[in-house]
Amino acid sequence: LFMTGGSRGIGLAIALRAARDGANVAIAAKTADPNPKLPGTIYSAAKEIEAAGGNALPLQVDIREEESVREAIAKTAETFGGVDILVNNASAIHLAGTLETPMKKFDLMNTINGRGTFITSQAALPYLLKADNPHVLTLSPPLKLDPQWMTFSGAAYAMAKFNMSFTVLGMAEEFREAGVAFNALWPRTAISTAAVRMLAGSVSSHVSRKVDIMADSAHHILTRPSRQCTGNFFIDEEVLRSAGMTDKELDQYKCSKFSPLLMPDLWVGHPGDLAKWDRLRNLFSKLFKF
C-alpha cells in the first residue's frame, strides 16, 4: 500500500488499519522532522505501523515534484515486490473567498490536491496493472456542483478538491476494462484531526467523529474485488451501513458521546444543513462554553 500524506490523521488511520492485516505500507509524506503544531512524522508513522503488525517504508516525498513521486513508488515496488493499493490522501486546505485567497495558497492547493493526485496515480499505474486486486482510493468529495457550497468552501478549495474527484471519475472509466479500481471516499461529518483542530479550534472535537470511521470504511472498499467496485464516490457511514452496521454501532465513532450534534462536512447532503449547523454551533458554544 502506497499512502500519500500519511504521517498523521486519516491517512495514518487507514495505514494502521491495513497494518493490522499485516500489510506492507509506504508512507510518502513531507514531514520528516517533528512539528509542534502538527504531531507526526514519516518515522513516527512507520513505528506505529510496525507496532500494529505491518511492515513500513518511510519516504520523504513532496508530491508536487514528479521525480520524487516516481522514485518513491519505484522504491516501494522494489522493497515490497509491487504496488497493490494507492491511497491519495495528501491534500492542502484554505477555506476562504476569492479576495482572501493569495495565489500562493491557490497554487499550493491545486498542485498538491489535483496535480499531485494525477501524478501519483499515473506513476503507480504501471505497477497496479500487474497487481491481482489493484485499488486506488482518493479522499475527495462527490461531484456536487450546487453553488451554495461555495459559501463555505470558497472557489479555490472547491476547484482543488474537485480536481481530485475528476481524476477518480476519468481514470475509473479509462482503466475499467484493465481491472484497476478507482474510487473516492469522503466523510459525512467532520473528522477530528490535528489539522482540523488547528483550523476550527477546540469546538471541532465535540462535534466530530474519530478517524477510525474513515479507516474502517476504506478497509471495506479496498478488500472488495477491484473489477466489481470502481467509479464510486463513497460516503464513510454509507459504506459501513451497507456492511451491516447499525446507528448504535456508528456511535462508537463519535468523539464525544455527549455531543448534541455532529457537524456535517462539505458537499454531503444539502448546503442548508451546514448553514443550520453553523447557527447551532454558535448557540451551543455559548451554552456549553466549548
Side-chain angles (χ1 to χ4, degrees):
L1 187 156
F2 188 92
M3 167 74 67
T4 67
S7 56
R8 62 180 71 90
I10 294 172
L12 177 58
I14 292 173
L16 291 174
R17 180 62 187 85
R20 280 157 48 193
D21 288 345
N24 300 316
V25 183
I27 292 292
K30 281 185 65 179
T31 309
D33 299 314
N35 182 332
K37 293 183 178 180
L38 288 173
T41 70
I42 55 174
Y43 303 111
S44 64
K47 288 181 181 179
E48 289 188 57
I49 288 165
E50 290 171 351
N55 298 305
L57 177 64
L59 297 165
Q60 188 173 22
V61 178
D62 184 342
I63 66 167
R64 294 173 293 179
E65 299 175 4
E66 181 180 355
E67 285 309 309
S68 176
V69 172
R70 295 191 185 281
E71 289 172 7
I73 290 179
K75 178 67 174 177
T76 301
E78 178 186 347
T79 303
F80 296 136
V83 176
D84 301 291
I85 295 170
L86 165 64
V87 179
N88 288 310
N89 165 71
S91 185
I93 183 171
H94 179 70
L95 298 174
T98 300
L99 297 178
E100 294 74 40
T101 302
M103 286 311 299
K104 184 177 180 180
K105 291 288 188 181
F106 180 92
D107 291 341
L108 179 70
M109 288 190 290
N110 282 277
T111 53
I112 291 177
N113 300 10
R115 185 174 183 272
T117 295
F118 187 92
I119 290 173
T120 310
S121 300
Q122 184 187 66
L125 270 163
Y127 304 99
L128 292 167
L129 287 165
K130 299 175 184 177
D132 292 332
N133 191 38
H135 278 269
V136 178
L137 184 64
T138 299
L139 303 190
S140 66
L143 288 165
K144 290 193 174 181
L145 301 180
D146 188 328
Q148 292 184 60
W149 285 116
M150 299 300 170
T151 304
F152 305 101
S153 68
Y157 181 60
M159 291 166 67
K161 291 306 292 188
F162 284 164
N163 275 339
M164 297 175 74
S165 297
F166 277 120
T167 300
V168 174
L169 186 70
M171 293 187 182
E173 190 60 30
E174 183 177 356
F175 294 97
R176 186 181 299 275
E177 291 301 317
V180 181
F182 282 84
N183 294 291
L185 176 62
W186 193 248
R188 178 171 293 284
T189 70
I191 301 295
S192 181
T193 65
V196 169
R197 289 190 295 273
M198 188 172 71
L199 287 169
S202 60
V203 66
S204 64
S205 296
H206 297 276
V207 293
S208 302
R209 281 174 168 159
K210 302 172 187 176
V211 292
D212 300 322
I213 191 170
M214 290 290 282
D216 290 344
S217 300
H219 184 266
H220 278 286
I221 296 165
L222 296 172
T223 52
R224 295 178 183 180
S226 62
R227 290 186 177 275
Q228 299 173 25
C229 178
T230 190
N232 301 288
F233 288 85
F234 290 110
I235 301 300
D236 56 358
E237 73 172 44
E238 292 175 5
V239 173
L240 297 179
R241 287 184 192 281
S242 70
M245 192 168 284
T246 64
D247 287 345
K248 186 175 181 180
E249 289 171 323
L250 284 169
D251 283 345
Q252 68 182 291
Y253 298 112
K254 293 173 69 173
C255 290
S256 172
K257 63 180 179 180
F258 302 110
S259 175
L261 73 168
L262 289 170
M263 177 181 175
D265 205 351
L266 291 164
W267 302 300
V268 180
H270 189 275
D273 297 336
L274 192 53
K276 184 186 300 182
W277 181 90
D278 204 37
R279 292 191 295 271
L280 287 171
R281 180 190 61 173
N282 292 331
L283 173 62
F284 282 113
S285 293
K286 293 176 182 177
L287 290 174
F288 297 99
K289 301 187 187 316
F290 285 161

